[in-house]
Coordinates of all heavy atoms in Angstrom, one line a residue:
M1 N 51.4 33.4 127.0 CA 52.3 34.5 127.5 C 53.8 34.3 127.0 O 54.5 35.2 126.6 CB 52.2 34.7 129.0 CG 51.0 35.5 129.3 SD 51.0 36.1 131.1 CE 49.2 36.4 131.3
I2 N 54.2 33.0 127.1 CA 55.5 32.6 126.7 C 55.7 32.9 125.2 O 56.7 33.4 124.7 CB 55.9 31.2 127.1 CG1 56.0 31.1 128.6 CG2 57.2 30.8 126.5 CD1 56.1 29.6 129.1
T3 N 54.7 32.5 124.4 CA 54.7 32.8 123.0 C 54.9 34.2 122.7 O 55.8 34.6 121.9 CB 53.3 32.3 122.3 OG1 53.1 30.9 122.6 CG2 53.3 32.6 120.8
G4 N 54.1 35.1 123.3 CA 54.3 36.6 123.2 C 55.7 37.0 123.6 O 56.3 37.9 123.0
G5 N 56.1 36.4 124.7 CA 57.4 36.8 125.3 C 58.6 36.4 124.3 O 59.5 37.2 124.1
I6 N 58.5 35.3 123.7 CA 59.6 34.8 122.8 C 59.6 35.8 121.6 O 60.6 36.2 121.1 CB 59.3 33.4 122.3 CG1 59.6 32.4 123.5 CG2 60.2 33.0 121.1 CD1 59.1 30.9 123.2
L7 N 58.4 36.1 121.0 CA 58.3 36.9 119.9 C 58.9 38.3 120.1 O 59.6 38.9 119.3 CB 56.8 37.0 119.4 CG 56.3 35.8 118.7 CD1 54.8 35.8 118.6 CD2 56.9 35.5 117.3
K8 N 58.5 38.9 121.3 CA 59.0 40.2 121.7 C 60.5 40.2 121.9 O 61.2 41.1 121.5 CB 58.2 40.7 122.9 CG 58.5 42.2 123.2 CD 57.9 43.0 122.1 CE 58.3 44.5 122.2 NZ 57.6 45.3 121.1
A9 N 61.0 39.2 122.6 CA 62.4 39.1 122.9 C 63.2 39.1 121.6 O 64.3 39.7 121.4 CB 62.7 37.9 123.7
A10 N 62.7 38.3 120.6 CA 63.4 38.2 119.3 C 63.3 39.6 118.6 O 64.3 40.1 118.0 CB 62.8 37.2 118.4
E11 N 62.2 40.3 118.6 CA 62.0 41.6 118.0 C 63.1 42.6 118.7 O 63.6 43.4 118.0 CB 60.6 42.1 118.2 CG 60.4 43.5 117.6 CD 58.9 43.9 117.7 OE1 58.5 44.3 118.9 OE2 58.2 43.9 116.7
L12 N 63.3 42.4 120.0 CA 64.2 43.3 120.7 C 65.6 42.9 120.6 O 66.5 43.4 121.2 CB 63.8 43.4 122.2 CG 62.4 44.1 122.5 CD1 62.1 43.9 123.9 CD2 62.6 45.6 122.1
K13 N 65.9 41.8 119.8 CA 67.2 41.3 119.5 C 67.9 40.8 120.8 O 69.1 41.0 121.1 CB 68.1 42.3 118.8 CG 67.6 42.6 117.4 CD 68.6 43.5 116.7 CE 68.3 43.6 115.2 NZ 66.9 43.7 114.8
M14 N 67.1 40.1 121.7 CA 67.6 39.5 122.9 C 68.0 38.1 122.6 O 67.4 37.5 121.6 CB 66.5 39.5 124.0 CG 66.1 40.9 124.4 SD 64.6 40.9 125.5 CE 65.4 40.5 127.1
T15 N 68.9 37.5 123.4 CA 69.2 36.1 123.2 C 68.1 35.3 124.0 O 67.9 35.6 125.2 CB 70.6 35.8 123.8 OG1 71.5 36.5 123.0 CG2 70.9 34.3 123.7
V16 N 67.4 34.4 123.4 CA 66.4 33.7 124.0 C 66.8 32.2 124.3 O 67.2 31.5 123.4 CB 65.1 33.7 123.1 CG1 63.9 33.0 123.8 CG2 64.7 35.1 122.7
I17 N 66.7 31.9 125.6 CA 67.1 30.5 125.9 C 65.9 29.7 126.1 O 65.0 30.0 127.0 CB 68.0 30.4 127.2 CG1 69.1 31.5 127.1 CG2 68.7 29.0 127.3 CD1 70.0 31.6 128.3
I18 N 65.7 28.6 125.3 CA 64.5 27.8 125.3 C 64.7 26.6 126.3 O 65.6 25.9 126.2 CB 64.2 27.3 123.9 CG1 64.0 28.5 122.9 CG2 63.0 26.4 123.9 CD1 62.8 29.4 123.2
D19 N 63.6 26.4 127.1 CA 63.7 25.4 128.1 C 63.1 24.1 127.5 O 63.6 23.6 126.4 CB 62.9 25.8 129.4 CG 63.1 24.9 130.5 OD1 64.2 24.5 130.8 OD2 62.0 24.5 131.2
G20 N 62.2 23.4 128.2 CA 61.8 22.1 127.8 C 60.6 22.0 126.9 O 60.3 22.8 126.1
F21 N 59.8 20.9 127.1 CA 58.7 20.6 126.3 C 57.6 21.6 126.2 O 57.2 22.0 125.1 CB 58.1 19.2 126.8 CG 57.0 18.6 126.0 CD1 57.2 18.3 124.7 CD2 55.7 18.4 126.5 CE1 56.2 17.7 123.9 CE2 54.7 17.9 125.8 CZ 55.0 17.5 124.5
I22 N 57.2 22.2 127.3 CA 56.1 23.2 127.3 C 56.6 24.5 126.6 O 55.9 25.0 125.8 CB 55.7 23.6 128.7 CG1 55.6 22.4 129.7 CG2 54.4 24.4 128.7 CD1 54.7 21.3 129.3
V23 N 57.8 25.0 127.0 CA 58.3 26.2 126.4 C 58.5 26.0 124.9 O 58.3 26.9 124.1 CB 59.6 26.7 127.1 CG1 60.2 27.9 126.4 CG2 59.2 27.1 128.6
T24 N 59.0 24.8 124.5 CA 59.2 24.6 123.1 C 57.9 24.5 122.3 O 57.8 24.9 121.2 CB 60.0 23.3 122.9 OG1 61.2 23.3 123.7 CG2 60.5 23.2 121.4
S25 N 56.8 24.1 123.0 CA 55.5 24.1 122.4 C 55.1 25.6 122.1 O 54.5 25.9 121.1 CB 54.4 23.4 123.2 OG 54.0 24.2 124.3
A26 N 55.4 26.5 123.0 CA 55.1 27.9 122.8 C 56.0 28.5 121.6 O 55.5 29.3 120.8 CB 55.4 28.7 124.1
L27 N 57.2 28.0 121.6 CA 58.1 28.4 120.4 C 57.5 27.9 119.1 O 57.7 28.6 118.1 CB 59.5 27.8 120.6 CG 60.5 28.0 119.5 CD1 60.7 29.5 119.2 CD2 61.8 27.3 119.7
L28 N 56.9 26.7 119.1 CA 56.3 26.2 117.8 C 55.3 27.2 117.3 O 55.2 27.4 116.1 CB 55.7 24.8 118.0 CG 56.6 23.6 118.2 CD1 55.8 22.3 118.5 CD2 57.6 23.4 117.1
V29 N 54.5 27.7 118.3 CA 53.5 28.7 117.9 C 54.2 30.0 117.4 O 53.8 30.5 116.3 CB 52.6 29.1 119.1 CG1 51.5 30.0 118.7 CG2 52.0 27.9 119.8
A30 N 55.1 30.5 118.1 CA 55.9 31.7 117.7 C 56.5 31.5 116.4 O 56.5 32.4 115.5 CB 56.9 32.0 118.8
H31 N 57.1 30.3 116.2 CA 57.8 30.0 114.9 C 56.8 30.0 113.7 O 57.1 30.4 112.6 CB 58.5 28.6 115.1 CG 59.1 28.1 113.8 ND1 58.6 27.0 113.1 CD2 60.2 28.5 113.1 CE1 59.3 26.8 112.0 NE2 60.3 27.6 112.0
A32 N 55.6 29.5 114.0 CA 54.6 29.4 112.9 C 54.2 30.8 112.5 O 53.8 31.1 111.4 CB 53.4 28.6 113.3
M33 N 54.2 31.7 113.5 CA 53.8 33.1 113.3 C 55.0 33.9 112.6 O 54.8 34.8 111.8 CB 53.5 33.8 114.6 CG 52.2 33.3 115.2 SD 51.9 34.1 116.8 CE 50.2 33.5 117.2
H34 N 56.2 33.6 113.0 CA 57.4 34.3 112.5 C 58.6 33.4 112.4 O 59.2 33.1 113.4 CB 57.8 35.5 113.4 CG 56.9 36.7 113.3 ND1 57.0 37.6 112.3 CD2 55.8 37.0 114.1 CE1 56.1 38.5 112.5 NE2 55.3 38.2 113.5
Q35 N 58.9 32.9 111.3 CA 60.0 32.0 111.1 C 61.4 32.4 111.6 O 62.1 31.7 112.2 CB 60.3 31.7 109.5 CG 59.0 31.2 108.8 CD 58.8 29.7 109.0 OE1 59.7 28.9 109.0 NE2 57.5 29.3 109.3
N36 N 61.7 33.7 111.5 CA 63.0 34.3 111.9 C 63.2 34.2 113.4 O 64.4 34.4 113.9 CB 63.1 35.7 111.5 CG 63.2 35.9 110.0 OD1 63.5 35.0 109.3 ND2 62.8 37.1 109.5
V37 N 62.2 33.9 114.2 CA 62.4 33.8 115.7 C 63.5 32.8 116.1 O 64.2 33.0 117.1 CB 61.0 33.5 116.3 CG1 60.7 32.0 116.2 CG2 61.0 33.9 117.8
L38 N 63.7 31.8 115.3 CA 64.7 30.7 115.6 C 66.1 31.3 115.7 O 66.9 30.7 116.4 CB 64.6 29.6 114.6 CG 63.4 28.6 114.7 CD1 63.5 27.5 113.7 CD2 63.1 28.2 116.1
D39 N 66.4 32.3 114.9 CA 67.7 32.9 114.9 C 68.2 33.3 116.3 O 69.4 33.4 116.5 CB 67.7 34.2 114.0 CG 67.8 33.8 112.5 OD1 67.5 32.6 112.2 OD2 68.0 34.7 111.7
Y40 N 67.2 33.7 117.1 CA 67.5 34.3 118.4 C 67.5 33.2 119.6 O 67.8 33.6 120.7 CB 66.5 35.4 118.7 CG 66.6 36.5 117.7 CD1 65.9 36.4 116.5 CD2 67.4 37.6 117.9 CE1 66.1 37.4 115.5 CE2 67.6 38.6 117.0 CZ 66.9 38.5 115.8 OH 67.1 39.5 114.8
C41 N 67.2 32.0 119.2 CA 67.0 31.0 120.2 C 68.2 30.1 120.4 O 68.8 29.6 119.5 CB 65.8 30.1 119.9 SG 64.3 31.0 119.8

């Protein structure tokens, strides 16, 4: 769910604040799906 949340937030041009180890693991998945997601984090 966090993976989907990060991807959607980036699509909506929201500022995404990334927490710790678990949330960053979700970001690794999101990043592998869409490289540009990091611009919003």
Side-chain angles (χ1 to χ4, degrees):
M1 285 193 194
I2 293 168
T3 302
I6 291 171
L7 288 166
K8 190 66 190 183
E11 181 177 73
L12 293 169
K13 297 184 162 48
M14 299 170 81
T15 299
V16 182
I17 313 174
I18 299 294
D19 190 46
F21 185 59
I22 318 301
V23 173
T24 311
S25 77
L27 175 63
L28 290 177
V29 184
H31 172 252
M33 291 175 173
H34 285 278
Q35 302 282 316
N36 293 336
V37 76
L38 291 184
D39 283 12
Y40 298 85
C41 296

